[in-house]
Each structure stands twice: as structure tokens, then as C-alpha cells.
Amino acid sequence: LPRRCKNEAMKLVTRAITRRILSVCVLFAVAATAKKALTLDGKQSQTQVANRADGALSPTPGAWKLAYKNVDGKPEWVVEIPNTHALSTCPIFYQTLVEVPSELEEDTEGTEMQGTGLRNSKSREHPRASHRSLHKQEVGQWEIRRQNVEQAIAKHPELNIKKMNVLYWARDWQTIKDLFQGLGLSIAKGHDQNTDMNQGKCGRWATMIMMAAWQKHAGHACTIALEDDIKIPDDFKERLAQVEQGEQESGVIKFMEWGEGYAFNLKAVDRFMSYLMSSPVIRMPSDNCINMGCAGRIVQIDVGIQKLVKTNAGNIWRTASAEIPKTPKNIDRNKAWQVLANTTELAGEDLSAAARAAADQLQSFHAASRRTAFENMVIHSSLEDFYDGETIDLLRAAKAVVRRMQESKK
């Protein structure tokens, strides 16, 4: 009897272990198949569509169903979701400078780069030699970026790629400050160069804000934004045609780890703006914020793009610390963002010019709001508030005005 019990127990243990191993194998097989389905290498003919719940491509449980079709004899992932668009239908823009920055046109010989806002805290070279090397690096990078954009536009006329003139910290810093102040945005101070919100990072934020405003103003269902050091493959349009994005919920598709390439749907633009309205203190670079979901669910797919300049090898991380003037606490951020979205200059692709126009309109809007506040103070005040028959009490009058203004808002 003991021997028989021992044999039965061993059988039960063996069955349990076998089932566990089979379960793990099945999970690994499903994960490998999903990963393969998310890779666009130009050879697979898989249809990839957006997550029904989140609007962005996503392999979360329940978002996909496996269907078998006779496409190269292989199964493909298919989800039938209404209101989607292929990324090949989205307008494509290179975020770049339409003109050579003045500081990059200077002769590198003997240039010290003083007063440009650049810093090189890690270099041990002599300051003059260090600035010259930085300047040569910037000139070389600009030429790589310029040639890449021109070649892509000339080589792929079917994509109708356009340039989007960005906000450049060295050229547009006053505009960036005015835009932040007009929208009620402020920045948090960091502890070191990595966490500090410097001028370059603020310029990148301003570019993404204006890009979102441009898409909302134009009403495009989606927009693809590429950095100017991104080289696209010859079959870029075919790769984009294999990816569909939902329109019902906010979603962002990115093509690399950071901000090298984005595809925003219109809901993601609304969520991005709503996030900044509700969280006006900027504490991190825009790419980090988008990766953390401030514009909605985000997923990364491979469409074959390549970087020509190493990550963080540009001048953004070496720019001077930013100082943004404080914004009054009673600013109407909702109306301020409406002013931005209604800026007529957004009809073009010059984000720098549109940002300057928006900043001027925001200043006029806030000035008018302040005038309205003073007019309301006069309307809501009365002689009895100031004079009680014997003395003039300004404190009593002020409290009465505030109380009546609050009641009128309700």
C-alpha cells in the first residue's frame, strides 16, 4: 500500500509539472508571435491596427484576435475596428530649420561661441578650443540634417513630405518665453544638467505644443513628425500603409525609443493639450512626458527609419538654464489654449512664425482680461461699500467687491 500511494503521488506531481511547463511554453509562443506581428520588416504582409480602447497600436490582452488568411501561407493579426486610418494617409513633416542659423554660418576658425547659450561642463579642454570644437560639431550636424531632409523630399515625391520650421532656442528664445507665459506654463528647476529644464528642452516643448496646435487647427486625423536627422527607407510608404491607427481614443505611435518619429491622432492632440492645461508645471523633457502617456497610450513599432546623429549628440543638453517669467495664478488657461488653436498663422508650416503670432495674441488676450477684471470691479462696487456714514473703509469695500464678483461667476 505505501508503495502504491508513492507511485500515485509521483504521477500527480509529474502531471502538474508537465501542465506548468506546457502553460509556460504556450505563453512564450503567444508573446513571440505578438512580437513578430509588431515588426514591420517590409517582408511580412501583416495588417496591424489600433487598440479599440486606446486608439494606438497595442498588443494588450483582448485588443487582438488571431485570424487566418491566405497571405503568403502565414497567419496574420487582424482586428476589425471602425474609424481607423492607415499611416500612409497622414501628412508627413520633417521638424527642421528652414534657414541656416546665423551662428552656424560663422567661420569656425577663431570662433569662441561666447554668448550663444551653449555650455560644456564635462569638457576639460581649454575654453576657446572647447567652443571651437562644439561649433565645428554643430556645423557638421546641420549639414547632415539639411542634406538628409532635401534628399528625402527629392527621392520620395509620392510622400509629399514638407518642412516644419521649428522653434530654435538660439533664435526664438523670447518667443518661447512669451508663449509659455501666455499659456500659463512654468518650468521646474532641476538639480543638475540632466534634470534641469534648459533652453533647448523648452524649445523642444514649444515645438511639440505648436505642432499639436497646428494639427488641431488643420483638423487632420493624424500627423507624422520626423526629426531632421532621421533617414527613411525606400519603401517607407508601403510600411506605413501596413499600419492603421484608431480615431476614437487618444493614441500615439512612435517609430523609435524617443522623439525621432511620432504619429499623433487628433484625440492625442486634445489629450496633450488637456494635460498641459491641468499640469502647467513642466518637470521633464517632452519626449519623456509623451512616453509616460501625457498624450494617451503610446506604442513603438519599427518602420525601418535610421538615425544619422547619435541620441543627445545635438546641442539641446548643453544649452543654458531657462528662466520663464511667472504667470498670474488667475489666468484662464482654457481660453488661452483656445486662442492658440485659433491662431490663423497656423495655416502655414512655420511653427516659429505661428508661435510669435500666438504669443502676441495671448498677450493681447490677457491684457483684455485684466481690463475686464477692473471694469467688473467698478460694476460690482457701490457707494455703500466704501462709506458707512462716518468713515471710508477700503478693506470693507474690497471684500464686498470680491464677494459680489464670485457670486456673479457662479
Side-chain angles (χ1 to χ4, degrees):
L1 185 61
R3 183 181 299 176
R4 186 175 178 181
C5 291
K6 182 178 180 181
N7 292 339
E8 291 296 330
M10 289 297 295
K11 289 181 181 180
L12 292 175
V13 172
T14 303
R15 289 176 184 174
I17 293 175
T18 303
R19 289 175 181 174
R20 182 61 59 87
I21 293 174
L22 288 175
S23 300
V24 172
C25 291
V26 170
L27 288 176
F28 273 108
V30 172
T33 306
K35 183 177 181 181
K36 186 177 180 181
L38 284 173
T39 303
L40 296 177
D41 57 5
K43 299 179 181 178
Q44 299 179 11
S45 57
Q46 296 166 336
T47 302
Q48 304 186 44
V49 298
N51 183 339
R52 183 190 301 271
D54 300 296
L57 194 70
S58 175
T60 52
W64 297 82
K65 63 181 179 181
L66 187 61
Y68 291 91
K69 291 189 176 182
N70 296 323
V71 181
D72 299 332
K74 297 180 180 180
E76 62 176 274
W77 291 94
V78 176
V79 178
E80 297 178 359
I81 300 178
N83 301 326
T84 64
H85 54 258
L87 291 190
S88 56
T89 64
C90 306
I92 303 174
F93 294 93
Y94 266 114
Q95 295 180 334
T96 187
L97 297 170
V98 295
E99 297 179 356
V100 182
S102 58
E103 67 270 16
L104 299 186
E105 290 180 327
E106 301 171 1
D107 183 12
T108 59
E109 195 66 30
T111 302
E112 297 188 25
M113 291 287 286
Q114 292 182 354
T116 61
L118 285 174
R119 60 184 178 186
N120 188 19
S121 57
K122 296 182 179 180
S123 177
R124 297 183 180 180
E125 301 178 30
H126 186 275
R128 176 172 295 185
S130 174
H131 286 308
R132 280 203 299 269
S133 64
L134 287 175
H135 186 60
K136 290 181 179 179
Q137 178 184 351
E138 292 301 319
V139 173
Q141 281 193 19
W142 165 249
E143 189 61 22
I144 291 174
R145 296 170 187 268
R146 185 191 65 79
Q147 290 182 4
N148 176 60
V149 173
E150 296 297 338
Q151 290 174 2
I153 293 176
K155 191 175 182 179
H156 301 279
E158 75 282 1
L159 294 175
N160 194 25
I161 302 174
K162 295 183 179 180
K163 299 178 184 178
M164 185 74 82
N165 190 30
V166 300
L167 280 88
Y168 183 49
W169 61 270
R171 179 194 62 194
D172 304 314
W173 180 237
Q174 187 60 49
T175 298
I176 295 169
K177 290 196 299 182
D178 292 343
L179 180 66
F180 273 50
Q181 190 175 21
L183 294 175
L185 300 175
S186 59
I187 57 175
K189 284 293 182 180
H191 303 292
D192 52 34
Q193 186 172 345
N194 291 327
T195 59
D196 185 31
M197 286 301 299
N198 57 30
Q199 295 181 9
K201 296 175 187 177
C202 290
R204 176 65 177 164
W205 261 109
T207 294
M208 294 306 297
I209 290 171
M210 293 305 301
M211 187 81 189
W214 177 88
Q215 184 175 346
K216 186 173 181 63
H217 183 84
H220 289 297
C222 60
T223 299
I224 294 176
L226 301 171
E227 292 188 345
D228 53 10
D229 63 338
I230 294 300
K231 182 179 180 180
I232 61 176
D234 293 339
D235 58 345
F236 192 52
K237 186 173 183 178
E238 289 74 16
R239 292 170 182 259
L240 294 178
Q242 297 182 51
V243 185
E244 293 189 5
Q245 187 180 35
E247 299 177 359
Q248 294 179 341
E249 300 294 337
S250 59
V252 181
I253 297 176
K254 64 177 182 177
F255 304 146
M256 276 189 168
E257 184 178 2
W258 298 105
E260 296 86 353
Y262 286 127
F264 274 66
N265 67 9
L266 202 53
K267 292 287 187 179
V269 168
D270 292 334
R271 182 163 178 173
F272 184 63
M273 290 183 168
S274 298
Y275 170 83
L276 291 174
M277 277 188 274
S278 60
S279 305
V281 180
I282 296 176
R283 304 179 183 276
M284 65 184 76
S286 60
D287 296 345
N288 295 64
C289 185
I290 294 172
N291 277 350
M292 293 177 66
C294 68
R297 173 63 67 87
I298 185 169
V299 68
Q300 179 179 340
I301 64 172
D302 179 16
V303 289
I305 62 174
Q306 299 177 6
K307 283 186 65 68
L308 301 179
V309 177
K310 292 183 179 180
T311 302
N312 296 332
N315 60 18
I316 286 181
W317 288 82
R318 296 193 305 272
T319 55
S321 181
E323 295 290 341
I324 303 294
K326 291 185 178 181
T327 305
K329 294 183 179 180
N330 60 346
I331 183 175
D332 191 336
R333 292 189 178 86
N334 290 328
K335 290 185 178 179
W337 283 88
Q338 290 176 11
V339 171
L340 171 63
N342 293 329
T343 302
T344 56
E345 284 76 6
L346 286 169
E349 282 89 38
D350 191 338
L351 298 186
S352 176
R356 183 63 265 168
D360 292 340
Q361 292 182 28
L362 285 167
Q363 289 179 350
S364 300
F365 164 72
H366 293 311
S369 298
R370 288 190 292 270
R371 286 195 299 271
T372 303
F374 278 104
E375 291 170 357
N376 287 339
M377 183 181 71
V378 175
I379 293 173
H380 291 290
S381 61
S382 64
L383 183 62
E384 289 76 13
D385 296 332
F386 291 90
Y387 186 63
D388 62 359
E390 297 181 358
T391 60
I392 295 177
D393 192 338
L394 299 183
L395 176 60
R396 176 183 171 218
K399 289 181 178 180
V401 169
V402 170
R403 183 181 68 255
R404 292 179 183 177
M405 290 178 66
Q406 290 176 343
E407 291 174 352
S408 67
K409 286 183 180 180
K410 293 180 181 179

